[in-house]
């Protein structure tokens, strides 16, 4: 990962980092000053673990940490009082704590916390009274985390549409480069373009992650619930954008095949690719402005109509290129609010 990418990643997580730091300090303050715990080290730990640096499943993390600690404390405290502490007792305590957590159908965090806390109780705080303090520290940290989770910035709500626009602009760039390959027929640029297209899977993963995070924010924060409709709308665009990007990759691959085998592609197909790139650019502008790309529908339909008027080619790769141009038009019409059947029906039958 480049330094620029690392800095961008850090920038996107700076609020979460600050939120965790503040929650950790507040959890210690509450446990130490309000409840009188001498060394409430687990309160800030629980707060940070519950919050994490992502906005998804925070409530579940709070529950798993609290109950995982409870199980670990119970098993560790009970067995230390019965069999004492030592290396073989520790093995038995950890095994029993994890087994009990699994039998309670706990998640990974639940099971891990049960194991960790059984170790803490059996090795660091064998005093039964101190063990209960550790559980209450976990509850304090979880409560602080829940309170902090209701305060979220607007950035995670903007990120889905921003990432959607990034995906669309990448499709636009691939279409323009594919048009150049169709016209020039040079093998080396075609292979470079193919490698570029094959490296785009991460864009959809980032878009899905952004959509999931946005939905998690509106679900966990009462202050952001009014944005639920817009975030849901953007989340629904992940599938058509994935399809559009996949169709574009197939188009690029066929352009590379035609260039490698020196197969001619009609110049009208390159012109169509550029017109489609212009229409896709309109889609990106609308998504970046947090709007359904209804304004780009006319441009997309115009390109779709043109695919039924161009000449046909006896070259198979060229025929597949035309078919993929039509597929990309249909995929992007979904982003304008059309349903799949209407988008397909909007394309004229290609000339025979």
């Amino acid at each position: 990962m480049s330094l620029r990418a690392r800095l961008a990643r850090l920038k996107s997580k700076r609020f979460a980092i600050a939120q965790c730091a503040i929650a950790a300090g507040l959890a210690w303050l509450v446990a130490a000053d309000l409840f009188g715990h001498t060394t409430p080290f687990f309160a800030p730990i629980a707060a940070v673990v519950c919050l994490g640096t992502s906005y998804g499943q925070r409530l579940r993390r709070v529950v798993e940490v609290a109950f995982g600690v409870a199980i670990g404390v119970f098993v560790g405290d009970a067995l230390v009082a019965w069999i004492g502490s030592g290396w073989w007792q520790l093995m038995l305590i950890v095994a029993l704590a994890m087994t009990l957590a699994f039998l309670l159908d706990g998640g990974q965090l639940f099971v891990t916390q049960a194991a960790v806390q059984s170790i803490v109780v059996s090795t660091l705080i064998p005093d039964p009274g101190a063990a209960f303090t550790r559980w209450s520290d976990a509850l304090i940290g979880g409560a602080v985390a829940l309170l902090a989770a209701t305060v979220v910035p607007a950035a995670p709500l903007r990120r889905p549409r921003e990432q959607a626009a990034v995906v669309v602009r990448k499709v636009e760039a691939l279409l323009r480069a594919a048009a150049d390959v169709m016209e020039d027929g040079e093998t080396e640029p075609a292979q470079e373009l193919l490698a570029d297209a094959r490296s785009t899977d991460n864009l959809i993963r980032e878009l899905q992650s952004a959509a999931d995070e946005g939905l998690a924010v509106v679900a966990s924060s009462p202050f952001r619930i009014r944005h639920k409709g817009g975030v849901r709308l953007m989340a629904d665009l992940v599938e058509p954008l994935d399809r559009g990007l996949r169709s574009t990759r197939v188009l690029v691959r066929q352009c590379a095949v035609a260039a490698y085998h020196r197969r001619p592609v009609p110049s009208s197909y390159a012109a169509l690719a550029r017109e489609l790139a212009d229409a896709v650019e309109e889609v990106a502008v609308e998504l970046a402005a947090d709007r359904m790309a209804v304004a780009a529908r006319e441009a997309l339909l115009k390109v779709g109509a043109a695919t039924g008027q161009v000449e046909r080619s006896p070259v198979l790769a060229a025929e597949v290129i035309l078919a993929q141009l039509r597929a990309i038009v249909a995929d992007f019409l979904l982003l304008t609010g059309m349903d799949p059947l209407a988008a397909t029906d909007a394309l004229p039958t290609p000339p025979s």
Side-chain angles (χ1 to χ4, degrees):
M1 185 183 293
S2 67
L3 178 60
R4 179 178 297 179
R6 292 168 191 260
L7 291 175
R9 184 178 177 218
L10 174 61
K11 183 179 179 181
S12 69
K13 295 296 184 182
R14 61 187 177 184
F15 182 88
I17 293 172
Q19 193 177 42
C20 285
I22 293 171
L26 185 59
W28 178 282
L29 177 67
V30 171
D33 291 4
L34 295 185
F35 288 85
H37 295 179
T38 307
T39 54
F41 70 90
F42 196 72
I45 291 176
V48 172
V49 171
C50 291
L51 284 174
T53 56
S54 68
Y55 297 98
Q57 296 186 326
R58 281 183 164 180
L59 179 59
R60 176 169 179 168
R61 287 204 296 266
V62 170
V63 173
E64 290 198 350
V65 167
F67 280 91
V69 169
I71 294 298
V73 167
F74 171 76
V75 172
D77 190 24
L79 291 184
V80 165
W82 181 30
I83 62 176
S85 59
W87 67 268
W88 68 268
Q89 292 96 329
L90 181 62
M91 288 194 300
L92 180 60
I93 289 170
V94 171
L96 288 177
M98 295 183 74
T99 299
L100 184 55
F102 271 116
L103 289 176
L104 292 174
D105 200 24
Q108 184 63 45
L109 188 57
F110 189 140
V111 175
T112 301
Q113 286 303 319
V116 169
Q117 291 313 303
S118 68
I119 294 172
V120 171
V121 169
S122 61
T123 58
L124 298 181
I125 49 171
D127 177 17
F132 176 76
T133 301
R134 204 63 54 226
W135 184 22
S136 59
D137 282 346
L139 295 179
I140 292 170
V144 170
L146 274 181
L147 179 63
T150 64
V151 182
V152 293
L157 305 178
R158 295 193 302 267
R159 194 164 161 253
R161 61 179 173 82
E162 291 172 350
Q163 186 60 29
V166 168
V167 174
V168 174
R169 292 195 185 282
K170 184 61 179 180
V171 171
E172 175 201 347
L174 292 174
L175 285 170
R176 296 192 190 282
D180 293 338
V181 170
M182 291 181 216
E183 288 184 339
D184 300 338
E186 296 294 333
T187 302
E188 186 173 345
Q191 293 301 316
E192 291 175 356
L193 176 60
L194 182 58
D196 185 20
R198 285 172 171 168
S199 67
T200 57
D201 279 339
N202 66 303
L203 295 180
I204 295 297
R205 287 196 298 270
E206 291 177 11
L207 176 58
Q208 184 66 67
S209 174
D212 291 343
E213 192 168 81
L215 290 172
V217 165
V218 296
S220 64
S221 175
F223 306 112
R224 299 294 183 183
I225 193 66
R226 68 183 185 278
H227 298 285
K228 185 175 182 178
V231 175
R232 178 75 264 174
L233 190 63
M234 284 297 166
D236 290 340
L237 298 182
V238 174
E239 183 178 352
L241 278 172
D242 186 20
R243 290 171 56 182
L245 185 56
R246 289 175 185 272
S247 296
T248 305
R249 285 202 295 264
V250 175
L251 170 74
V252 168
R253 185 166 64 248
Q254 292 304 317
C255 290
V257 169
Y260 179 79
H261 292 289
R262 303 294 180 184
R263 305 292 190 222
V265 178
S267 59
S268 59
Y269 294 8
L272 276 177
R274 290 197 174 91
E275 291 175 12
L276 180 54
D278 291 338
V280 167
E281 183 180 12
E282 292 186 32
V283 173
V285 170
E286 293 299 300
L287 292 181
D290 201 18
R291 296 189 295 263
M292 284 292 289
V294 178
R297 184 182 297 174
E298 183 178 351
L300 289 167
L301 289 173
K302 183 179 178 181
V303 177
T307 63
Q309 300 169 1
V310 294
E311 72 271 27
R312 300 293 292 271
S313 171
V315 177
L316 179 59
E319 282 291 284
V320 176
I321 288 173
L322 178 59
Q324 287 307 122
L325 288 170
R326 291 168 58 83
I328 296 169
V329 171
D331 291 335
F332 275 84
L333 282 173
L334 300 181
L335 304 181
T336 71
M338 293 183 68
D339 64 71
L341 289 178
T344 302
D345 291 342
L347 300 178
T349 304
S352 57

